[in-house]
Every structure is written in structure tokens, then in C-alpha cells.
Amino acid sequence: MKDLTPRIETIPEKKLVGKCLKMSLSDNKTAELWRSFMPRRKEILNALTTDLISMQVYNESLDFKDFTPDTEFVKWAVVEVSDFTHVPDGMKTYTLSGGMYAVFTYVGLPGDFAPMFHYIFGEWLPRSEYEVDNREHFELLGEKYKNNTPNSEEEIWISIRRKYTRHPISTLAR
């Protein structure tokens, strides 16, 4: 793997329109979700860019240390829009809360992503000054994204916050 150092970005909230399905890694419905969304994406008339967003929304109480292949989440196939004035029938709105993200560039096939996942959550995150924040995670599928080709490129956006460090009582008593 090439340099895997992420860039850190803070983004404002974003308005999104698209489709969603509840799933888990062991009951992965990603292909079904995108097959239902892609033929209709041009019906979204107020899209801000041509980029697609694949977003995962996890249960607020989830501790990522407890994440398993059976952990359920809601996956979204969406585009960013200027407002919610035109929402095609059968599609939903979602407001991404914004905040701080670690942004990794992934090049490769979706089926080869596991080592990158293990690097992010097993190596980079524990060594960094950040921890996972319980907000949306998403992949930005821009112009370099070529579905199911080895040179496909996408951005992996992991929600983060600075690690909380407690001050020893002795330093507070001075």
C-alpha cells in the first residue's frame, strides 16, 4: 500500500438525497441499493456535484470495538443537494451532521478493502490523537471512481474527534 496518511478535514453539514437500506456486512445489500439508485439519480435536479456518496449510519450506542460482521447499520446511496425542495418519489432526505473527518484515499477493488479497513481502525486510529466519533462515515465516489476496476479511486471519510485525556487530580489540585 502507498502512503496511507489521511488528511484531516472539518466539513459543515450537508443536505443529501437518495435511497437507503438496513444491512450488515454478513447481509450486505450494497449492490441492491446502488442498482435501485443509479438509474434514478438524474431525477435529483438540484445536485451540487456529480459525485456519489456511499454513507453508513450506525446505531448511536455502537462502540466500534464491538463491531462484528452482523452489526446492523443503514447504508445510503446519495448525492449532495442545495436544498430539499425537489425530492423524487421513493427517495429520502438526510442531513449529514458535518464535523471532523480523517480522509483516506483508497485505490483498488471493493473486495480488496479489508487490509485498508484493518489499517485505519487497527493501526492508524489507535496511534493517532483521534478516536472514532459516532457520526456518519462515508465514501466519496468522484471522477476517479471506476466501479469494480483495480485502479478505481475513492475517498474514505471516517468521523473522528480528538481523544479525551483526563488530567490527574494531582495536577488540578495545584
Side-chain angles (χ1 to χ4, degrees), residues 80-150:
E80 185 179 1
V81 295
S82 55
D83 55 56
F84 293 139
T85 56
H86 177 77
V87 179
D89 287 343
M91 292 199 193
K92 297 180 179 180
T93 63
Y94 188 94
T95 302
L96 182 124
S97 51
M100 190 174 1
Y101 284 85
V103 185
F104 296 84
T105 300
Y106 174 69
V107 178
L109 295 166
D112 296 337
F113 182 71
M116 179 77 157
F117 179 88
H118 291 294
Y119 170 76
I120 293 169
F121 291 97
E123 294 180 42
W124 181 81
L125 204 52
R127 292 184 199 149
S128 77
E129 62 189 91
Y130 305 101
E131 61 189 1
V132 173
D133 196 2
N134 200 341
R135 291 179 286 114
E136 310 87 346
H137 296 249
F138 62 94
E139 294 81 48
L140 184 64
L141 313 175
E143 62 185 39
K144 294 182 181 178
Y145 178 76
K146 311 289 181 230
N147 190 25
N148 286 322
T149 61

Side-chain angles (χ1 to χ4, degrees), residues 18-23 28-39 53-56 74-78:
K19 297 184 121 197
C20 65
L21 282 176
K22 185 178 243 182
M23 64 182 77
N28 193 333
K29 299 176 183 171
T30 301
E32 175 187 336
L33 173 64
W34 283 96
R35 272 195 305 270
S36 73
F37 175 72
M38 288 304 284
I53 297 172
S54 178
M55 179 175 63
Q56 295 74 234
V74 177
K75 181 166 260 194
W76 288 78
V78 294

Side-chain angles (χ1 to χ4, degrees), residues 42-92:
K42 299 262 191 250
E43 294 176 35
I44 302 169
L45 303 178
N46 52 346
L48 291 176
T49 70
T50 58
D51 295 343
L52 302 170
I53 297 172
S54 178
M55 179 175 63
Q56 295 74 234
V57 179
Y58 300 96
N59 185 314
E60 286 183 24
S61 63
L62 176 66
D63 183 334
F64 276 89
K65 291 183 278 261
D66 301 328
F67 188 88
T68 71
D70 296 322
T71 301
E72 287 191 327
F73 55 91
V74 177
K75 181 166 260 194
W76 288 78
V78 294
V79 296
E80 185 179 1
V81 295
S82 55
D83 55 56
F84 293 139
T85 56
H86 177 77
V87 179
D89 287 343
M91 292 199 193
K92 297 180 179 180

